[in-house]
Amino acid sequence: MNLTTKFVLALVLATSAVLVVDGYVTVRQAVVFFEDDMRRQAELTGRGLADLVEDAWRLGNQERAIKVVEEAHAERPTMGIRWVWLDASLGNSHAPVAPAELLRPVSRGSEVFFKGLDAKGDKRLYAYVPVAVDPARLAALEISQSLAPLNEYVRSTILRTALLAALILALSTCLFLFLGVKMVAQPLQALIEQTRRIGEGDLSPAPAVHGRDELAKLARALNAMCVQLAQALERARTETDARMAATEQLRHADRLHTVGRLASGVAHEIGTPLNVISIRAGQIARGDLPSQEASECANIIVAQVKRITTIVRGLLDFSRRRRLSRTPSSLRAIVRQSLDLLEPLAKKSRISLSVAGEEMPDVAHVDADLVQQLLMNLLMNALQATPEGGRVEVAVLRERVRPPVDVGGSEGEHLCVQVRDNGAGIPAENIPHVFEPFFTTKDVGEGTGLGLSVAYGIVRDHGGWIDVTSRIGEGTCFSVHLPLEDRPCPQES
Ligand code: ADP
């Protein structure tokens, strides 16, 4: 039931109640007034007549007394006037209509009033006025008046009140329905429509509303809110864009730094093929090789160039600037790619790089390039912390765990990548700071302090988290947890 119908119904009920009460009180008052009037008339008529009758009786003229009563009856057609003996038995022409027990006060000289039916079945008001004529017998004048006019009056009053009520109700219902629809239902519908649009993200203000009532004020306030929300949204968008650009720049700087670190390993790695190319090219250039051998040298040169190209392309791919984009990717494949890139550097430092853990479904919805960047940062740190001849191991596992409180969410399946080294370890007092930007224990030019903070940001952007455990002299283990199902990623929204 809508608001207008409720208002109209309440109004109809309230008006009906008032009209019914008013009609009832009016009719009650009219009945009381009417009856009082009838009693007074009967009383006055009765008393005057009683004096005349008593005088006539006293003078011994009983016929005259009864005649007076009959004449009085004849003169007043609306009244029935009779001489009654109170002890007359039922059926006697002078027996009273009212029952004997009601007429007792008459013996004490008081008038008695009674409402009853006459011989025709019509309702009448009977008045009994005592007449002191015979000390041995109680006599009274019975004066009756028909109650039909009163009943008629009551009926017509009820009818008039009912008609009036119906008219008022019909008019007020039409008026309130019209006003309710025009002034309440339509503006409310427009407000509901606007709030629905706001809920769907459409913040364009509704057409301007004029008027000074509460609904008009509410509509204007809603419009103002839309404008403010749109501005706030625009500000938030600009700030998010700026933050994304800054994060991207930071990640790019971190990438270039890693590329710089890789360069020494790469230089070593491409040194050997370059030597081979140089020697073979020299042999061909001297022109003293038989054509069969020259062709072999040329093939060797081609193979070495391919090897160099692969190494350089890997480096270039890694250093390229990209935007976040998540696709289903195998974590084990990303780990292998990262290890391939680091292989030259590890070889140079005589550190063994290996992948542990059993083969199992390891596809997560991630940005493969960013996950590679975070793994490269962890692996590069591990290599730097591990002495010659040491070991760096990467494991890809599936775990059912509950995310920490600051990440939130319920217990669920996660992919966990662990990067473990048997290097120097991190002093306990440094552990709370390692993920802070620009925290580094390395020499100037060696470390930027960005690697782990960038890694932390990448993991959080994927709805995951990163932990570290370390013992001085024994080694360090970084564990990256990534959810299997998507969690909201702030930069993608
Ligand atoms: P950077 O490597 O440029 O110093 P990071 O943010 O990558 O910056 O690392 C911060 C610090 O954390 C490092 O300077 C180092 O002290 C410590 N650290 C990180 N990984 C390891 C590790 N595997 N072993 C020992 N210390 C580490």
Side-chain angles (χ1 to χ4, degrees), residues 261 381-382 385 421 425-426 434 439-442 447-449 451-452 476 478:
R261 282 177 177 180
N381 280 342
D421 65 61
I426 306 173
V434 290
F439 174 83
T440 181
T441 55
K442 296 171 190 167
T448 57
L452 287 182
T476 304
F478 282 92

Side-chain angles (χ1 to χ4, degrees), residues 175-245:
L175 188 71
F176 275 89
L177 268 180
F178 173 73
L179 290 179
V181 168
K182 200 95 196 101
M183 296 170 70
V184 180
Q186 283 178 354
L188 263 183
Q189 193 51 45
L191 284 176
I192 291 168
E193 185 59 26
Q194 192 179 1
T195 45
R196 193 187 53 74
R197 280 195 296 108
I198 293 172
E200 285 170 1
D202 177 2
L203 295 176
S204 57
V209 182
H210 304 289
R212 295 162 73 158
D213 59 27
E214 288 80 353
L215 287 177
K217 284 181 190 162
L218 184 63
R220 282 198 288 276
L222 213 59
N223 272 351
M225 190 188 82
C226 278
V227 172
Q228 283 169 358
L229 271 178
Q231 286 169 351
L233 211 65
E234 190 49 44
R235 266 202 307 279
R237 253 189 220 128
T238 317
E239 278 164 20
T240 307
D241 284 351
R243 194 170 64 83
M244 277 173 70

